Amino acid sequence: MELGAIIVVGEQPQASDGSPCGPALCGEPLAYLDVLGRSTAERIVERFARAETDVISVLQRTEGNKSEQLEPAFSAFDNVEFQLVEDPSSAIRRKLEEYGRSGIQHSFLLFGNVYAETDLLDLFYFHREARRGATRAMNRDGLLDFWVVDCRKVQDTNLQLLLTELKERRNLYFIREYANRLTHPRDVRRFASDLLQGRCVGRPSGREVRRGIWIDDGAEVDRRARIVAPAYIGRNSKIMEDALITRTSNIEKDCLVDYGTVIEDSSILEDTGIGICLDVCHAVASGNRFFSLDREVVIEIADPSVMRSNGLLVKAAKERKRVKNFWNFGRRR
C-alpha cells in the first residue's frame, strides 16, 4: 500500500497563550530557522524521506522569502516534490485528492512548526486499524498539527471538518517520544538545548571537535576564546578574542560574537552580530531583536554597536583587528 506525506511550511501558527510567535522575533516562521545548523523543515522532510513514504509533497507559501533556500535542501531526496502555493488549505485538499487518484490511500499531513520523532509507521498502522477519516497526533502537552488522513474520504467530506472533529480518544495517537511545537522563541531555545544534550535523536551539523562542542564549516574561533560544552558554532561564524560561549548556547551561521562577550544559555540566530563586552543570558537574539526568556519580551536594539544584522559588525571587527595587527607590527620593528 502506497503512503504519502504533505508538509506545509511557511504557515505560521499562533501560540495558544497569545504570546509572541516567530515573526515578532525574526520576521520568519520558526520552522525556517536554523537550529544547530539545520531548519526544522529540513529535519522533518528527512525523517519522512528515510521512512517508507512513497512520495513527499512540500507545500511552501509564496510569502515565505526563504523558499529558494529550502528547495535545494529537499532535492537531495528522490521522492520529495516542492510546490509554491498561495492558499495552503486549498493546496492540501488538491494534493490529497491527487494522491487518491494515483492510488495513494493514506497520507501524513504535518505543519512545519511541528518536530516529532515518533515511529511514523506505527502512527500509520494505528490510523489504518481505527478505520477513520483522520487520526491526529498529540503528546502530553496537547494536540499537534500532525495527522494521518484517508485520501479517499477527502473527496466525500469537508477537509477542515475531517481534521477538527476528532472527539473520540481512538482518533488520537499519543506520541511518547520527543516533540516540539516551535510556536514561540522559548521553543527554539529548548530545541537547541535538547539537541545539544542528546534529549532527541536529531544531531547538530558540523564536526564534534571536542566532546559536546560542535563547530560547523568555515567557523572561526579565536584561540583566546573559550567554548564550554555543550555548545554549537555555526557555518562561517566568528567568535572573537576573550569571548565565552557556555551552557548549551548555539551560535548559528554567519554570526559574530565580538571581543569579551559572554553568551550563556542563549541562541544567537543566523546573521546576528553581538558587540563588545556584553553579557547575553537566557535569551534568543536575531539581528537587532532580543527576546528575553526571563521577561518574556522582545526588545529592538537601536545601537548597531550592541546588536544588529551581522554585515557591518563583521566589517568593523576586521578593521579593528587590522589596526591592532598594524600597531603590533610597528612595535616589533
Side-chain angles (χ1 to χ4, degrees):
M1 180 181 296
E2 292 191 353
L3 182 62
I6 299 172
I7 302 166
V8 184
V9 293
E11 185 82 340
Q12 177 63 21
Q14 297 296 317
S16 58
D17 60 359
S19 54
C21 286
L25 179 68
C26 60
E28 289 285 351
L30 298 183
Y32 287 136
L33 301 181
D34 280 357
V35 181
L36 275 59
R38 302 182 65 197
S39 71
T40 311
E42 290 178 55
R43 294 179 188 273
I44 291 166
V45 169
E46 184 177 29
R47 288 192 63 82
F48 280 108
R50 297 194 186 283
E52 297 179 21
T53 309
D54 296 282
V55 59
I56 302 166
S57 300
V58 180
L59 305 182
Q60 157 71 53
R61 279 192 67 114
T62 53
E63 288 85 348
N65 61 25
K66 289 198 176 182
S67 59
E68 70 282 357
Q69 299 178 26
L70 288 175
E71 186 171 4
F74 302 149
S75 63
F77 303 98
D78 295 335
N79 59 341
V80 178
E81 58 181 24
F82 185 89
Q83 181 180 348
L84 292 173
V85 300
E86 293 183 2
D87 181 1
S89 296
S90 298
I92 291 169
R93 183 181 184 89
R94 287 195 300 271
K95 184 58 66 175
L96 288 171
E97 291 174 347
E98 178 187 318
Y99 280 0
R101 290 193 298 270
S102 64
I104 297 175
Q105 298 182 22
H106 302 275
S107 175
F108 296 103
L109 171 60
L110 180 142
F111 284 78
N113 62 296
V114 175
Y115 177 80
E117 293 185 343
T118 190
D119 184 331
L120 295 173
L121 290 180
D122 186 66
L123 169 55
F124 163 64
Y125 294 143
F126 177 91
H127 163 76
R128 188 176 62 177
E129 290 172 9
R131 298 183 180 180
R132 297 285 175 170
T135 299
R136 188 169 189 177
M138 65 175 294
N139 70 350
R140 62 188 179 190
D141 297 320
L143 297 174
L144 296 163
D145 292 331
F146 186 10
W147 298 262
V148 185
V149 181
D150 188 326
C151 300
R152 296 167 300 182
K153 293 189 177 180
V154 172
Q155 301 176 18
D156 303 324
T157 187
N158 179 280
L159 176 63
Q160 192 65 27
L161 192 65
L162 187 65
L163 298 181
T164 55
E165 287 197 348
L166 299 172
K167 298 178 182 178
E168 298 182 37
R169 192 72 181 180
R170 58 182 171 176
N171 290 78
L172 299 174
Y173 178 86
F174 189 81
I175 292 179
R176 294 174 175 81
E177 301 89 344
Y178 184 86
N180 192 320
R181 285 169 174 77
L182 288 160
T183 57
H184 190 281
R186 79 166 74 88
D187 299 325
V188 174
R189 175 87 279 272
R190 180 169 67 89
F191 191 31
S193 179
D194 291 343
L195 285 168
L196 283 169
Q197 296 183 82
R199 293 175 180 154
C200 46
V201 175
R203 300 283 284 174
S205 296
R207 296 183 302 112
E208 190 175 16
V209 296
R210 293 201 305 274
R211 185 174 177 83
I213 297 179
W214 297 80
I215 307 291
D216 220 329
D217 297 339
E220 298 180 18
V221 179
D222 190 277
R223 60 188 178 86
R224 290 186 56 180
R226 188 181 176 204
I227 313 295
V228 179
Y232 169 81
I233 311 299
R235 294 188 301 276
N236 302 319
S237 286
K238 298 181 184 297
I239 310 300
M240 304 300 284
E241 185 179 332
D242 295 328
L244 170 63
I245 314 298
T246 185
R247 290 190 60 192
T248 68
S249 291
N250 58 305
I251 315 299
E252 295 302 326
K253 67 181 179 181
D254 299 323
C255 289
L256 170 71
V257 178
D258 217 329
Y259 295 92
T261 287
V262 176
I263 309 294
E264 178 182 359
D265 186 28
S266 296
S267 293
I268 310 302
L269 303 183
E270 65 178 87
D271 194 36
T272 298
I274 308 294
I276 298 173
C277 297
L278 299 175
D279 191 351
V280 178
C281 185
H282 310 304
V284 179
S286 176
N288 71 330
R289 292 186 176 94
F290 179 90
F291 180 81
S292 169
L293 294 168
D294 293 332
R295 299 183 180 274
E296 293 279 322
V297 63
V298 175
I299 302 169
E300 289 198 12
I301 307 296
D303 187 346
S305 67
V306 176
M307 266 185 60
R308 63 160 298 132
S309 292
N310 193 29
L312 291 180
L313 279 177
V314 168
K315 184 177 179 181
K318 287 182 177 178
E319 179 63 18
R320 284 196 302 274
K321 190 169 185 178
R322 185 189 68 81
V323 171
K324 180 180 178 182
N325 290 339
F326 172 80
W327 282 109
N328 287 340
F329 175 75
R331 287 171 183 168
R332 287 196 299 270
R333 293 186 61 187

